[in-house]
Amino acid sequence: MRFVFETIHEHYRTLALNKHQTEVVTCAEYFSLKMNEPLKLDLNSIYFIPEGVLSIAMDEDPHIIGTTIEYMPVGLLEYLCPVVSFKYVALTPAKVLKISISDFERIFFNTSADYAKELTTILSYMLIVVLDVHVERRTDSGYYTIKAMLRRYLYRRTVNAQESEGIANFIIRRTNLSRSYVFRVLAALKEGEYITIKKGKLISIDKKLPNDF
């Protein structure tokens, strides 16, 4: 089976993974992030994003390697493996809930077996999404990567209507493809009436994309 982000994420969104939310909200500090504002991690805290989406990148690397998914505990990777460092930036205006490490461990490890199971499921889907990104972008064909990114872009805009990033920048920020190659492929697909782009944003894929470029 080939991973497809839309299928994975849509199934994830059908799961009941919100039983822990009341406990989190009760002890959380709330704040907001503006679009393009970075989240500055306090390594003694865990963060949840109830509204909006954050990009994820390796520290000091401009390429986006993924985005947050619902219920994802931001900061947990850094807490459990302090030798890694990620950078989180708001792709849309976002709301953030911040709780202490002690409250996180109390809620998910000491309060309820159901909460621990929810956390395990969330972390499992985080891994699956990362593997999907690896399959999608570690290909010998730059064109194949662009085809996959076109579908991902349309899906992300469906899920997050506030995202305003243009399609070319969306692809360039997430891959190692050159700017000139990305623009050349997009221009050819637009000229061939395979896709509709307005003001830099992909509006639709209008017919089956060519197998090769």
Side-chain angles (χ1 to χ4, degrees):
M1 183 186 97
R2 185 172 67 83
F3 289 171
V4 179
F5 177 75
E6 300 95 302
T7 304
I8 298 167
H9 191 237
E10 286 295 342
H11 179 69
Y12 178 76
R13 283 157 58 92
T14 67
L15 303 178
L17 298 172
N18 60 356
K19 294 177 182 177
H20 65 273
Q21 280 188 307
T22 300
E23 293 275 359
V24 169
V25 170
T26 298
C27 61
E29 172 189 340
Y30 162 84
F31 61 95
S32 298
L33 293 175
K34 299 177 182 177
M35 187 181 299
N36 297 321
E37 183 178 357
L39 173 63
K40 298 178 181 179
L41 292 186
D42 170 359
L43 296 181
N44 294 311
S45 302
I46 302 294
Y47 304 80
F48 294 88
I49 316 299
E51 292 184 26
V53 178
L54 307 186
S55 65
I56 307 170
M58 298 297 293
D59 196 22
E60 300 182 0
D61 186 333
H63 290 101
I64 294 173
I65 59 175
T67 56
T68 54
I69 58 176
E70 294 84 354
Y71 316 116
M72 176 178 167
V74 176
L76 183 60
L77 300 179
E78 291 84 349
Y79 170 62
L80 295 177
C81 184
V83 297
V84 302
S85 178
F86 295 97
K87 180 170 61 178
Y88 304 91
V89 179
L91 287 175
T92 68
K95 294 182 178 180
V96 183
L97 296 173
K98 174 183 177 181
I99 65 174
S100 67
I101 291 291
S102 59
D103 279 329
F104 178 86
E105 294 187 342
R106 172 181 58 79
I107 292 169
F108 288 97
F109 301 150
N110 302 326
T111 300
S112 162
D114 284 341
Y115 297 168
K117 183 176 180 180
E118 284 187 351
L119 177 62
T120 302
T121 303
I122 293 164
L123 294 176
S124 296
Y125 272 83
M126 286 169 58
L127 174 60
I128 291 168
V129 168
V130 169
L131 291 174
D132 174 54
V133 169
H134 177 78
V135 171
E136 177 186 77
R137 303 177 198 178
R138 299 300 185 268
T139 173
D140 293 333
S141 169
Y143 173 65
Y144 177 87
T145 299
I146 290 176
K147 286 173 64 177
M149 296 297 284
L150 292 175
R151 292 189 292 267
R152 184 182 285 259
Y153 178 89
L154 287 179
Y155 177 72
R156 293 302 312 182
R157 292 201 70 200
T158 298
V159 175
N160 303 293
Q162 297 183 78
E163 288 194 26
S164 58
E165 190 172 23
I167 180 59
N169 198 47
F170 180 87
I171 296 171
I172 292 165
R173 291 178 69 191
R174 291 162 175 79
T175 69
N176 290 316
L177 301 175
S178 71
R179 178 176 296 271
S180 60
Y181 180 75
V182 170
F183 275 99
R184 182 155 53 91
V185 172
L186 293 177
L189 293 176
K190 182 178 179 181
E191 184 177 351
E193 299 183 344
Y194 290 97
I195 60 176
T196 297
I197 296 178
K198 293 182 179 179
K199 296 182 178 179
K201 298 180 179 63
L202 178 65
I203 305 302
S204 61
I205 297 174
D206 302 317
K207 57 184 178 181
K208 184 179 178 181
L209 299 172
N211 291 327
D212 298 300
F213 177 81

